[in-house]
Amino acid sequence: MAYTRSLLVISMTVIFLIPASAFSDEEKDAIYQGIGRGGCKYYFTDAPVRSEKHDAQYKIFLYVPKAFLSSRSYKTSCLTIPEKSRYDDAIKLAAARYNISEALIKAVIAVESNFNPSAVSPKGAMGLMQLMPGTASDYGVLDAFDPVSNIMGGTRFLSDLMDRFKEDLELVIAAYNAGPGAVERFNNSIPPYPETQNYVELVIKFYNKLRAG
C-alpha cells in the first residue's frame, strides 16, 4: 500500500463497500468521488469542496459508518488511471507474453500502487503491482522496485491465476489480493473479507473504465 496506497488504496483496508441501507441516516457518512482538472482524473474525499486544484462535480462513491470518518482524516487524494504511462511498453510486453489484458494489468497497478514504483505496503508488498517477497521470489523478480521486473512478475502471477481459476475474472482478482488458497478455502468464491470484496469491485470498475477508453 504505497504511501499507504493513496486515499483510494487505503480504502482497501479501512473502508468497506457497505450498502447505504445498512445504516441509519445518523450512522452513515459518505466518501465522494470527483472528476477534476489539473491532471487528476479521479480523486476521493470525505469533504467535497471546490478549489483551484480540484474543481469538479462530485458524486457519492460509497457509504461508510461515521466511526471510520471520526477516527481518520480523509484528505482529498488523487487516483490517476492514465491512458498512457511511462510503463506502457512493459505492460504491452507483459500482456503479450502472458496473454493478459493490458487494461487488467493497468487496473491492478492503479489500485495496488497508483502507479508508484516505490510503493511499499505495511505487509511488505512492493512496487507497482505490490508483490509480496515470496511471490517476487517465486516468479524470479530479483528487484521488485524495478518497474519492468515487477510488471512481468505480477502479470505472470495473474496468468497463473487465470489458469488456476479458469479465467473467472472476479476469482482471479480476489486471489491476487487474498491469495489463491483463500479463494479455494471458500469453495472457489470471493472470500468474505471486506478488503478483498472492496478490492475486486474496484479493480473491475477501473478495468471496465480502461476497456471503454
Side-chain angles (χ1 to χ4, degrees), residues 89 152 212:
D89 288 344
M152 287 297 173

Side-chain angles (χ1 to χ4, degrees), residues 6-8 10 43-47 72-78:
S6 83
L7 178 128
L8 172 63
I10 66 170
Y43 58 93
F44 297 81
T45 182
D46 65 331
R72 297 173 177 85
S73 176
Y74 289 93
K75 296 180 180 178
T76 299
S77 182
C78 179

Side-chain angles (χ1 to χ4, degrees), residues 122-143:
K123 294 180 181 179
M126 301 172 286
L128 288 170
M129 297 187 75
Q130 289 289 277
L131 301 179
M132 291 296 289
T135 304
S137 177
D138 289 345
Y139 288 94
V141 179
L142 300 179
D143 180 4

Side-chain angles (χ1 to χ4, degrees), residues 1-3 86-87 90 112-113 115-133 136-137 140-154:
M1 288 186 178
Y3 52 125
R86 71 182 69 179
Y87 311 114
E112 288 287 351
S113 69
F115 286 82
N116 177 2
S118 302
V120 179
S121 81
K123 294 180 181 179
M126 301 172 286
L128 288 170
M129 297 187 75
Q130 289 289 277
L131 301 179
M132 291 296 289
S137 177
V141 179
L142 300 179
D143 180 4
F145 297 108
D146 174 72
V148 175
S149 295
N150 189 287
I151 290 169
M152 287 297 173

Side-chain angles (χ1 to χ4, degrees), residues 7 50 53 69 95 115 139 145 169 194 202 207:
L7 178 128
R50 295 171 69 89
K53 183 176 181 182
L69 297 182
F115 286 82
Y139 288 94
F145 297 108
L169 189 58
L202 288 169
Y207 169 66

Side-chain angles (χ1 to χ4, degrees), residues 13-84:
T13 57
V14 298
I15 299 178
F16 301 163
L17 281 173
I18 305 175
S21 59
F23 309 106
S24 69
D25 289 341
E26 293 76 22
E27 293 173 326
K28 70 186 178 186
D29 212 330
I31 297 296
Y32 296 83
Q33 176 184 353
I35 301 176
R37 301 185 305 195
C40 184
K41 293 184 69 175
Y42 302 95
Y43 58 93
F44 297 81
T45 182
D46 65 331
V49 296
R50 295 171 69 89
S51 69
E52 182 178 351
K53 183 176 181 182
H54 299 298
D55 184 6
Q57 296 294 320
Y58 291 89
K59 66 178 181 179
I60 291 174
F61 181 67
L62 58 90
Y63 284 98
V64 294
K66 281 189 175 178
F68 286 143
L69 297 182
S70 64
S71 61
R72 297 173 177 85
S73 176
Y74 289 93
K75 296 180 180 178
T76 299
S77 182
C78 179
L79 172 73
T80 53
I81 311 176
E83 293 179 7
K84 294 184 179 180

